[in-house]
Amino acid sequence: MVPRKDSPEDAAAFDVAVVGAGPGGYVAAIRCAQLGLRTVCIDKWTDPRGRPALGGTCLNVGCIPSKALLDSSHHFHCLSHLFPEHGISVDGARIDVAAMQSRKNRVVASLGRGVAGLLRKNGVELVTGAARLTEDGAVEIAGSPPRSLRPRHVVLAAGSVPAAIEAAPTDGARIVDSEGALAFDEPPRRLAVIGAGVIGLELGSVWNRLGSEVVLLEALDDFLPGADRDVAKHSLRIFRRQGLDVRLGQRVTGCEPGGEAVTVHFEDSHGAHRIEADRLVVAVGRRPATEALGLEEAGIDRDERGFIRVDGFGRTSREGVWAIGDCAPGPMLAHRASEDGISVAERIAGGKSRIDHHTVPWVIYTHPEIAWVGRTESELDDAGIAWRSGRFPFAASGRALAAGDAEGFVKVVSDETTDEILGVHVLGAQASELIAEAVTAMEFQASAEDLARTVHAHPTLAEGLHEAALAVDERAIHL
Ligand code: FAD
Ligand code: NAD
């Protein structure tokens, strides 16, 4: 079918067309509509029954389904590992993976309906189909029916897809990416994962808690290079004790999928090795989904890794075209994509918002969780910035001990001269929630002294942050 060109109702009818309905795109579309802009949001994702599936990677195959499985598997793990300490015992506990997966799917479906409802409520038109830009600035949609739009502005929020490696091509059966690893119908007896990054650790934890023997093959010699060195060292020890066999400095050279198993070949400084696994997950990062957007024809620049080049306001090299979230350089995180979306929507409406990624928090939802915001001590050393830091272990926290969940610590790093907080690093239960206070403090350019003089409820895990701030000045009370 030939796309309809410049049909009366489509021509110049929209102020903004947003390409992608992930956490970047749907949030940008809602904010545009709130600001009075006539907005259309286009997404090609459909469910197995052909119905629109909104929410992008995050909702369909990312943040939400992974957290649903992490929570289910954590509850199961607690039955045998935490509850006995509380005097609770359960005989014959077993996991029904089909029920766990159905619950996960219901959570995803319900939130997807929620996104559709929010778009509707705000008057955003939703179009299902793959969008592509043309040289003359139109947005062609290969939907049913095909459409051609000429909006005043286009926001590209096309997201990302799993990166592939030649040594382990996915086959959707034995060798899968993160999407496949979220959908196993039973715990593989032996699970191998290439990449000990965020996905490897989160999904490795899920299946390990349900009984899989998990081996993670990581190319780098350093574990979690972006994290605080103490957090990385301690968490690696904890994960290994939990049963995650993390092997660093391993170069995967090839895989042989067979009928029952897959053989993974890899090398390290000691020579060549191989392991057999029932399933292999490839979790070696993600790449921007920018190939099919017509960027070259439209004169929009990409960098050498395929990310759309943007300035500090999300503007691309073409006037009126903006890019946000995973398809543009920056942290590949849902909350960052959403904040980019809000900022760009406000700019389009004439506001003065600016994209700032300095206080974007990172969270790894293992148990204990890892969370951080700002810079690490090593990054500050590299930048020649003098710092001091304070650390407080949860083993000295009344709330953590009462809960029986006292592994890890909080570290606050501040500028040696001004005491402004430059980074906060947490390894511990509910680190994902604790980091929010640190983000707020940094947004307000708080000093460690400010945090130290803030009253924290007792007994809470947040007191750990308070004590770490006190420890910066060597005056922690409970150390
Ligand atoms: P996406 O969510 O990828 O959405 C892009 C959308 O654009 C898709 O719906 C796609 O169909 C659509 N699209 C692409 N091209 C076109 C086109 N040409 N026409 C029409 N539509 C198009 N991040 C977190 O912050 N916290 C987490 O806990 C977390 N967990 C994750 C777990 C896993 C297993 C994975 C894989 C990722 C996780 N992430 C997490 C990362 C997070 O999912 C992404 O950073 C986030 O989804 C990026 O949002 P986005 O809107 O930029 O892109
Ligand atoms: P990642 O960058 O976190 O980890 C990938 C790991 O694979 C790295 O440690 C890398 O060194 C390693 N690697 C790369 N090539 C390799 C090879 N050939 N052999 C062995 N190891 C190799 O990426 P990911 O875990 O795939 O996740 C992708 C992105 O999705 C994350 O960076 C993050 O932005 C996002 N995500 C976020 C969350 C969260 O916020 N909790 C959860 C999942 C994913």
Side-chain angles (χ1 to χ4, degrees):
M1 238 190 296
V2 182
R4 260 182 324 148
K5 296 256 178 196
D6 298 333
S7 63
E9 69 274 27
D10 282 349
F14 290 106
D15 295 310
V16 186
V18 180
V19 178
Y26 85 75
V27 169
I30 289 174
R31 188 70 188 119
C32 284
Q34 284 176 344
L35 292 164
L37 299 164
R38 211 180 147 216
T39 308
V40 57
C41 186
I42 309 152
D43 201 301
K44 60 183 180 174
W45 204 312
T46 53
D47 70 12
R49 291 163 66 183
R51 297 171 303 193
L54 306 179
T57 303
C58 168
L59 179 47
N60 292 292
V61 293
C63 323
I64 299 300
S66 60
K67 267 76 249 179
L69 296 187
L70 278 156
D71 280 337
S72 296
S73 60
H74 180 63
H75 294 322
F76 182 67
H77 181 82
C78 285
L79 281 176
S80 49
H81 290 78
L82 181 66
F83 289 178
E85 187 192 322
H86 290 263
I88 304 167
S89 57
V90 181
D91 288 333
R94 54 178 201 91
I95 181 84
D96 177 345
V97 174
M100 180 182 82
Q101 293 287 17
S102 303
R103 174 188 168 277
K104 175 202 80 180
N105 295 339
R106 283 197 304 279
V107 171
V108 169
S110 144
L111 286 168
R113 286 193 298 277
V115 173
L118 289 172
L119 291 174
R120 217 171 23 245
K121 186 181 118 190
N122 284 282
V124 175
E125 185 172 331
L126 177 66
V127 176
T128 303
R132 190 179 177 86
L133 303 190
T134 63
E135 200 179 340
D136 63 356
V139 179
E140 304 280 343
I141 306 167
S144 172
R147 286 175 72 171
S148 178
L149 311 177
R150 281 181 187 281
R152 285 199 300 119
H153 294 267
V154 177
V155 179
L156 297 171
S160 63
V161 292
I165 49 170
E166 263 179 43
T170 54
D171 59 14
R174 297 251 159 246
I175 310 177
V176 298
D177 58 22
S178 53
E179 183 174 351
L182 286 166
F184 291 155
D185 52 12
E186 58 179 349
R189 191 170 67 76
R190 299 161 305 176
L191 176 65
V193 184
I194 306 180
V198 195
I199 292 179
L201 292 171
E202 290 187 0
L203 297 184
S205 294
V206 165
W207 297 109
N208 176 49
R209 291 169 191 167
L210 302 183
S212 300
E213 288 167 22
V214 180
V215 179
L216 295 109
L217 301 171
E218 166 58 49
L220 298 178
D221 293 324
D222 280 340
F223 181 60
L224 294 179
D228 171 81
R229 288 302 77 207
D230 290 333
V231 167
K233 196 170 97 195
H234 276 74
S235 61
L236 179 58
R237 204 180 300 145
I238 292 170
F239 298 145
R240 282 183 170 151
R241 201 185 62 225
Q242 289 174 350
L244 293 179
D245 181 358
V246 180
R247 303 190 196 176
L248 301 172
Q250 309 295 332
R251 200 174 71 82
V252 176
T253 50
C255 298
E256 292 164 58
E260 294 300 309
V262 50
T263 308
V264 188
H265 298 269
F266 53 98
E267 291 174 356
D268 61 14
S269 52
H270 303 291
H273 313 272
R274 66 176 191 184
I275 51 170
E276 300 267 304
D278 300 291
R279 302 280 192 136
L280 172 65
V281 179
V282 181
V284 293
R286 294 180 63 81
R287 62 178 177 81
T290 52
E291 283 104 354
L293 291 169
L295 299 180
E296 254 172 53
E297 296 89 312
I300 294 168
D301 294 343
R302 289 191 292 168
D303 68 15
E304 55 294 338
R305 295 164 62 211
F307 292 97
I308 301 170
R309 284 190 206 278
V310 286
D311 65 9
F313 307 111
R315 291 186 295 217
T316 69
S317 50
R318 182 172 181 140
E319 174 91 41
V321 180
W322 311 70
I324 61 171
D326 276 14
C327 67
M332 297 175 98
L333 297 172
H335 40 286
R336 170 264 168 141
S338 300
E339 290 308 318
D340 279 10
I342 288 172
S343 174
V344 159
E346 291 178 351
R347 277 264 149 191
I348 290 173
K352 298 278 177 238
S353 301
R354 184 185 176 92
I355 289 173
D356 177 10
H357 293 154
H358 287 103
T359 48
V360 172
W362 281 84
V363 178
I364 306 176
Y365 293 83
T366 43
H367 194 89
E369 292 178 344
I370 294 172
W372 74 88
V373 58
R375 290 191 274 181
T376 62
E377 293 161 340
S378 332
E379 284 166 348
L380 291 168
D381 284 342
D382 291 346
I385 297 170
W387 51 268
R388 46 189 201 149
S389 69
R391 192 171 133 164
F392 186 78
F394 286 114
S397 151
R399 187 73 185 95
L401 286 168
D405 214 351
E407 277 187 311
F409 58 87
V410 185
K411 184 191 274 186
V412 173
V413 186
S414 77
D415 187 291
E416 190 181 61
T417 315
T418 65
D419 195 35
E420 180 178 342
I421 300 170
L422 301 176
V424 174
H425 307 270
V426 188
L427 168 67
Q430 297 185 42
S432 55
E433 303 293 339
L434 296 180
I435 205 67
E437 181 184 352
V439 176
T440 309
M442 286 184 65
E443 274 292 335
F444 283 90
Q445 293 180 300
S447 60
E449 171 85 17
D450 289 327
L451 263 190
R453 292 199 179 275
T454 303
V455 184
H456 288 72
H458 174 75
T460 56
L461 297 177
E463 286 173 304
L465 180 60
H466 182 231
E467 288 276 0
L470 284 164
V472 171
D473 199 30
E474 294 177 8
R475 56 192 176 101
I477 301 295
H478 295 94
L479 265 186

